[in-house]
């Protein structure tokens, strides 16, 4: 054992010495951006317009431009954009490095209000210029603050096509790492005057560890309308809610179905795909993608929109899934035309015919050609529908395929589905056995309550019929009538449901405070909170002991959590607003501030500069107005509020709210470091 270990160490040392002698980077073979099977496959499919295939392959081999998106719902988004244009972009346009003029960042023409920009600057060039290095530091700090998101350009498309409104209930089925989720949250908060939009986002991912990337994204945006859950999207639980005093099914107004895929559209940034890509990847993923999409439309409300997207160009993962979904729906789903929604975006229409190729190079155009030995790997839903009339009615040309060489992006596929009617399966009311006893026979379907406490997702409709929309939410579950009569003799019914197994890390509980909780007495008087402050929406993460951190959620998410705590694994919800010492936290300042009516000090720009450049400035350092306000307050947590002066455009033109502490003779603002860059203010040294 020892001899083998010493020999291994000797070999490793020899290898390391060899690399050291060969110079930096030696010993790591450069990945060659070639894959003959990939080129042959996409050439044969004809997805790229004639005469453009060489440009397509050339673009695939080029590095992907860096793209940033300014957080749209923040009240200071315009201030950030103004700072970028005036402080950085203008100077970068005149910058030269090694005799070469630097191309300044350019806006994405199809993204609204100049809120997204891309740049081709490499890290090597950034290191050569102090100005570019400063610009890079600005981007990093603003990303941490949630003011800017670094996100691939094509990844921004699906949320825009969903057409989010503040009242929408949204499900993000495969959400990690969370850039699209962040976009959805921003759209919910389009009106910053409303701290609690009626809508919410439930972000889900099957990977427990990747879910914590979602949590990180959620914390950056400080929204009370976000919940992060950990489930397999293909069988994500149906959720119940209280509606007008009755139990009801939660159907979503908008669903983002960004499914796992082979990722051949990401070759520009994920270099590994070049050597790992085969056609088998798509064949293995097609079934999972279809199951996730089916589960999505089951939970979609009639009239709602679901966006299906992949970062793959392969029709097996794209049009084949959409065609199978439309065929299963029997007219309940319709492909929407999104061509006018993003003016300026270049895209190719979806295809109506495609072939399938194995990794050995064998082509199949129809299911009938597939040998029985391959039936487990290749399925009928992977091929286009045979009926020309049915195929024409699907309007697959409304799907959108983004090719990398058209606008210097990654490859992407997106389709918008609108639900016109409930899905066709499980519409029939369940039949009871004929030998029902007289006692059980008296219990007619009309007497069944609206929804059983233990029901997985079925609802009884008036007149004794089960509504198709409610029943489809859990196609494999038992019907309400069956469940309500299972305990009676002589009635056929399903076995009792097993308790759901939860995997991954064990989470602390989410415990809502009662309205008479002692913690509110002190907070109410200290901050003079409005009578309409939603006490019941405040929660903590412990049943016993000190309530060290208080969180706030919207009433709609409270409804969801209270009715489904046993059937879903929740990792994070809401926004942290305060500590057990009743100090307001900067994360929750925008949520709490509308309800606070005391402990507020109105400050000027000069006051903010003093607070940020001095460690613990004396009260006398503030301007006269702020000084007199501070003297009237006792020690403790405070809110510092800046209101812009439209007559002085040189000052920040967006409201600023900070939390702080009023000491015995001094005052302090609690802000993270990124605040200094945002408003072009000097930082404390």
């Amino acid at each position: 054992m020892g001899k083998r270990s010493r020999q291994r160490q000797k070999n490793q040392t020899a290898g390391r010495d060899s690399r050291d002698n060969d110079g930096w980077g030696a010993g790591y073979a450069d990945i060659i951006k070639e894959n003959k099977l990939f080129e042959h496959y996409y050439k044969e499919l004809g997805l790229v317009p004639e005469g453009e295939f060489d440009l397509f392959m050339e673009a695939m081999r080029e590095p992907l431009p860096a793209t940033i998106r300014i957080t749209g719902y923040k009240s200071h988004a315009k201030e950030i954009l103004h700072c970028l244009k005036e402080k950085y972009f203008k100077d970068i346009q005149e910058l030269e490095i090694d005799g070469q003029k630097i191309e300044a960042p350019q806006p994405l023409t199809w993204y609204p209000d100049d809120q997204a920009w891309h740049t081709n600057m490499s890290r090597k060039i950034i290191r050569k210029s102090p100005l570019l290095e400063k610009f890079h530091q600005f981007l990093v700090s603003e990303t941490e603050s949630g003011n800017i998101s670094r996100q691939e350009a094509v990844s921004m498309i699906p949320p825009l096509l969903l057409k989010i409104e503040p009242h929408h209930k949204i499900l993000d089925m495969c959400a990690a790492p969370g850039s699209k989720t962040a976009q959805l949250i921003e759209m919910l908060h389009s009106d910053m005057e409303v701290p609690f939009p009626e809508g919410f986002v439930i972000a889900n991912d099957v990977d427990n560890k990747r879910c914590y990337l979602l949590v990180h994204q959620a914390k950056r945006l400080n929204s009370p309308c976000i919940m992060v859950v950990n489930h397999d999207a293909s069988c994500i639980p149906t959720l119940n809610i209280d509606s007008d005093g009755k139990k009801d099914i939660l159907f979503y107004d908008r669903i983002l179905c960004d499914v796992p895929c082979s990722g051949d559209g990401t070759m520009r940034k994920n270099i590994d795909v070049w050597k790992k890509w085969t056609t088998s990847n798509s064949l293995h993923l097609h079934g999972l993608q279809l199951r996730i999409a089916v589960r999505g439309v089951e939970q979609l409300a009639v009239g709602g929109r679901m966006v299906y997207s992949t970062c793959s160009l392969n029709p097996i993962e794209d049009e084949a899934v959409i065609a199978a979904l439309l065929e299963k729906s029997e007219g309940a789903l319709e492909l929407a035309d999104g061509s006018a929604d993003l003016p300026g975006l270049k895209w190719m229409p979806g295809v109506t015919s495609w072939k399938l190729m194995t990794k050995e190079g064998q082509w199949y155009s129809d299911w009938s050609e597939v040998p029985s030995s391959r039936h487990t790997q290749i399925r009928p839903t992977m091929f286009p529908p045979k009926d020309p009339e049915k195929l024409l009615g699907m309007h697959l040309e409304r799907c959108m395929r983004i090719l990398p060489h058209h606008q210097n992006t990654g490859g992407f596929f997106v389709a918008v589905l609108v639900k016109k009617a409930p899905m066709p399966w499980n519409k029939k009311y369940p039949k009871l056995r004929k030998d029902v006893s007289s006692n059980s026979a008296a219990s007619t379907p009309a007497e069944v309550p609206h929804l059983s406490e233990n029901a997985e997702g079925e609802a009884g409709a008036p007149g004794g019929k089960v509504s198709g929309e409610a029943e489809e939410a859990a196609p494999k579950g038992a019907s309400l009538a069956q469940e309500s009569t299972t305990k009676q003799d002589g009635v056929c019914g399903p076995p009792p449901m097993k308790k759901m197994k939860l995997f991954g890390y064990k989470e602390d509980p989410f415990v809502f405070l009662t309205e008479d909780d002692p913690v509110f007495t002190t907070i109410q008087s200290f901050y003079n909170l409005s009578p309409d402050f939603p006490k019941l929406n405040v929660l903590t993460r412990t049943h016993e002991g000190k309530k060290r951190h208080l969180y706030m959620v919207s009433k709609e998410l409270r409804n969801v959590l209270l009715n489904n705590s046993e059937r879903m694994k929740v990792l994070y919800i809401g926004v942290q607003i305060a500590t057990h010492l009743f100090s307001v936290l900067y994360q929750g300042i925008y949520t709490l501030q509308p309800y606070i009516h005391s402990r507020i000090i109105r400050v000027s720009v000069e006051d903010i500069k003093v607070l940020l450049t001095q460690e613990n400035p004396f009260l006398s350092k503030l301007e006269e107005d702020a000084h007199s306000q501070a003297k009237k307050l006792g020690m403790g947590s405070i809110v510092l509020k800046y209101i812009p002066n439209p007559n002085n455009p040189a000052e920040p033109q967006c409201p600023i709210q900070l939390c702080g502490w009023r000491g015995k003779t001094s005052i302090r603002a609690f802000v993270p470091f990124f605040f200094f860059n945002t408003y072009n203010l000097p930082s404390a040294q």
Side-chain angles (χ1 to χ4, degrees):
M1 190 73 178
K3 183 178 179 181
R4 189 182 299 126
S5 179
R6 286 194 298 274
Q7 183 63 37
R8 187 186 302 118
Q9 187 176 5
K10 183 179 178 182
N11 292 339
Q12 288 174 347
T13 305
R16 183 169 62 249
D17 291 343
S18 174
R19 287 199 300 272
D20 290 342
N21 294 333
D22 288 341
W24 176 258
Y28 296 93
D30 290 334
I31 294 176
I32 299 171
K33 297 179 181 179
E34 294 285 346
N35 190 310
K36 296 300 181 185
L37 189 66
F38 175 86
E39 293 189 42
H40 172 61
Y41 181 69
Y42 280 108
K43 237 178 203 176
E44 187 70 23
L45 285 180
L47 300 179
V48 180
E50 191 175 349
E52 295 183 16
F53 195 81
D54 289 341
L55 293 173
F56 166 74
M57 290 305 301
E58 188 180 328
M60 291 292 271
R61 294 185 179 100
E62 289 294 320
L64 189 69
T67 318
I68 61 171
R69 177 174 52 79
I70 299 170
T71 302
Y73 82 85
K74 297 282 189 182
S75 60
H76 43 259
K78 290 182 180 178
E79 194 72 24
I80 300 288
L81 181 59
H82 177 77
C83 180
L84 280 170
K85 286 182 175 179
E86 298 300 319
K87 187 178 176 183
Y88 295 104
F89 294 168
K90 189 180 285 186
D91 294 338
I92 290 173
Q93 284 177 341
E94 302 169 0
L95 185 66
E96 285 190 12
I97 296 179
D98 298 336
Q100 183 180 356
K101 196 167 185 179
I102 300 301
E103 183 183 349
Q106 299 296 319
L108 297 179
T109 55
W110 47 266
Y111 201 94
D113 304 323
D114 283 352
Q115 296 289 299
W117 296 70
H118 68 102
T119 174
N120 281 314
M121 287 184 288
S122 67
R123 291 183 181 181
K124 187 177 180 181
I125 289 178
I126 287 174
R127 293 191 192 103
K128 288 185 175 182
S129 166
L131 174 62
L132 294 181
E133 186 68 37
K134 189 177 179 183
F135 173 56
H136 181 255
Q137 289 173 358
F138 174 82
L139 294 182
V140 171
S141 63
E142 292 305 299
T143 300
E144 284 300 311
S145 75
N147 293 331
I148 282 176
S149 291
R150 300 163 90 175
Q151 181 180 355
E152 191 178 344
V154 289
S155 173
M156 304 176 192
I157 296 172
L160 293 175
L161 292 176
L162 278 172
K163 298 184 177 179
I164 302 295
E165 299 289 341
H167 63 275
H168 283 155
K169 302 174 184 68
I170 306 163
L171 172 64
D172 192 348
M173 299 187 75
C174 310
S179 56
K180 298 182 191 70
T181 307
Q183 222 174 329
L184 298 174
I185 297 171
E186 294 167 23
M187 293 172 177
L188 272 186
H189 289 272
S190 56
D191 185 358
M192 280 295 288
E193 299 300 317
V194 182
F196 292 103
E198 290 182 22
F200 55 78
V201 177
I202 296 180
N204 172 71
D205 202 85
V206 67
D207 189 319
N208 184 262
K209 291 181 180 178
R210 280 168 60 86
C211 277
Y212 290 96
L213 295 174
L214 284 175
V215 172
H216 175 71
Q217 288 278 19
K219 286 184 175 179
R220 285 193 318 122
L221 293 170
N222 306 325
S223 169
C225 305
I226 175 68
M227 176 189 287
V228 178
V229 298
N230 178 205
H231 289 281
D232 180 352
S234 64
C235 53
I236 189 169
T238 300
L239 304 183
N240 300 334
I241 53 172
D242 285 326
S243 179
D244 298 325
K246 298 178 181 178
K247 296 286 185 183
D248 210 344
I249 302 296
L250 172 60
F251 287 99
Y252 300 94
D253 302 298
R254 298 290 187 267
I255 293 180
L256 177 54
C257 186
D258 186 51
V259 295
C261 64
S262 59
D264 56 22
T266 69
M267 283 180 164
R268 299 184 68 177
K269 65 174 184 178
N270 296 326
I271 312 298
D272 262 6
V273 179
W274 281 99
K275 63 178 182 179
K276 292 180 179 179
W277 187 92
T278 74
T279 53
S280 296
N281 300 342
S282 297
L283 302 182
H284 295 155
L285 286 165
H286 171 87
L288 174 63
Q289 292 164 339
L290 182 55
R291 289 196 301 275
I292 293 174
V294 166
R295 190 63 183 135
V297 294
E298 285 172 353
Q299 301 212 12
L300 185 65
V302 172
R305 291 166 74 95
M306 184 177 92
V307 168
Y308 175 89
S309 62
T310 74
C311 47
S312 168
L313 301 174
N314 198 328
I316 309 301
E317 303 177 64
D318 300 338
E319 285 92 345
V321 174
I322 296 299
L325 195 58
L326 291 171
E327 195 164 12
K328 284 174 181 286
S329 76
E330 299 178 6
L333 296 174
E334 179 182 280
L335 262 177
D337 184 359
S339 57
D341 294 335
L342 296 176
L345 177 67
K346 294 180 181 177
W347 52 277
M348 298 297 297
V351 295
T352 55
S353 65
W354 59 88
K355 298 185 290 184
L356 184 152
M357 186 179 78
T358 65
K359 64 180 179 181
E360 294 81 17
Q362 179 68 46
W363 288 93
Y364 299 108
S365 299
D366 189 79
W367 169 247
S368 60
E369 302 173 3
V370 181
S372 57
S373 60
R374 288 191 178 272
H375 280 187
T376 55
Q377 183 186 17
I378 300 173
R379 303 302 301 154
T381 53
M382 297 178 182
F383 296 94
K386 286 184 178 180
D387 187 344
E389 191 175 334
K390 183 184 288 186
L391 186 61
L392 189 65
M394 289 181 177
H395 297 292
L396 291 178
E397 71 279 357
R398 292 177 178 174
C399 299
M400 306 166 73
R401 180 175 279 103
I402 291 89
L403 299 179
H405 65 292
H406 283 168
Q407 287 182 305
N408 198 14
T409 64
F412 205 71
F413 174 88
V414 62
V416 183
L417 293 155
V418 176
K419 190 171 182 179
K420 296 293 185 181
M423 303 308 288
W425 48 85
N426 286 352
K427 284 188 178 180
K428 292 182 180 179
Y429 194 72
K431 295 179 181 178
L432 301 181
R433 283 176 50 179
K434 292 182 180 179
D435 57 340
V436 177
S437 64
S438 58
N439 290 337
S440 61
S443 178
T444 63
E447 294 171 345
V448 174
H450 188 65
L451 184 69
S452 163
E453 287 292 331
N454 298 321
E456 178 63 23
E458 300 79 16
K465 291 184 179 180
V466 178
S467 77
E469 185 180 356
E471 190 171 353
E472 74 184 65
K476 295 182 182 179
S479 71
L480 176 62
Q482 282 179 314
E483 186 170 348
S484 63
T485 54
T486 298
K487 299 175 183 177
Q488 302 172 13
D489 295 334
V491 179
C492 179
M497 290 173 56
K498 293 181 180 178
K499 189 173 182 181
M500 183 179 64
K501 290 183 179 179
L502 299 176
F503 300 94
Y505 304 110
K506 185 178 180 182
E507 292 295 318
D508 292 330
F510 293 88
V511 184
F512 282 100
L513 304 186
T514 58
E515 205 163 4
D516 57 352
D517 193 292
V519 74
F520 288 124
T521 307
T522 309
I523 293 179
Q524 188 89 40
S525 58
F526 190 72
Y527 291 108
N528 189 20
L529 295 180
S530 303
D532 61 343
F533 176 72
K535 297 179 181 179
L536 294 178
N537 296 359
V538 178
L539 58 85
T540 185
R541 299 296 302 270
T542 178
H543 283 291
E544 299 173 356
K546 281 186 177 180
K547 301 174 179 67
R548 295 186 178 277
H549 298 287
L550 301 179
Y551 298 80
M552 178 80 82
V553 300
S554 64
K555 67 176 182 179
E556 288 78 13
L557 269 189
R558 180 181 188 273
N559 188 351
V560 173
L561 187 59
L562 287 177
N563 285 285
N564 302 279
S565 58
E566 294 299 318
R567 68 177 63 203
M568 64 179 182
K569 182 178 180 183
V570 181
L571 272 63
Y572 183 80
I573 187 171
V575 59
Q576 191 174 344
I577 56 169
T579 68
H580 68 291
L581 298 174
F582 316 124
S583 296
V584 177
L585 299 176
Y586 77 88
Q587 296 99 319
I589 186 67
Y590 284 95
T591 302
L592 269 185
Q593 192 276 328
Y595 302 102
I596 295 177
H597 294 293
S598 70
R599 312 285 307 171
I600 299 174
I601 300 176
R602 284 191 57 173
V603 293
S604 65
V605 170
E606 294 304 316
D607 292 328
I608 293 178
K609 288 181 179 179
V610 168
L611 291 166
L612 298 183
T613 54
Q614 299 185 29
E615 184 71 24
N616 273 310
F618 289 110
L619 297 176
S620 57
K621 294 290 183 73
L622 300 177
E623 292 191 338
E624 185 177 350
D625 185 26
H627 184 205
S628 63
Q629 295 176 64
K631 285 199 297 184
K632 296 175 184 177
L633 301 178
M635 292 175 59
S637 182
I638 54 173
V639 174
L640 301 161
K641 193 171 183 179
Y642 165 78
I643 298 176
N645 180 6
N647 298 322
N648 190 352
E651 295 180 349
Q653 290 300 299
C654 61
I656 301 172
Q657 299 175 41
L658 306 173
C659 50
W661 188 267
R662 200 279 201 203
K664 190 173 182 180
T665 58
S666 62
I667 193 168
R668 165 178 274 190
F670 296 142
V671 291
F673 177 77
F674 56 71
F675 185 88
F676 300 102
N677 280 326
T678 304
Y679 302 102
N680 195 21
L681 297 169
S683 60
Q685 300 296 324

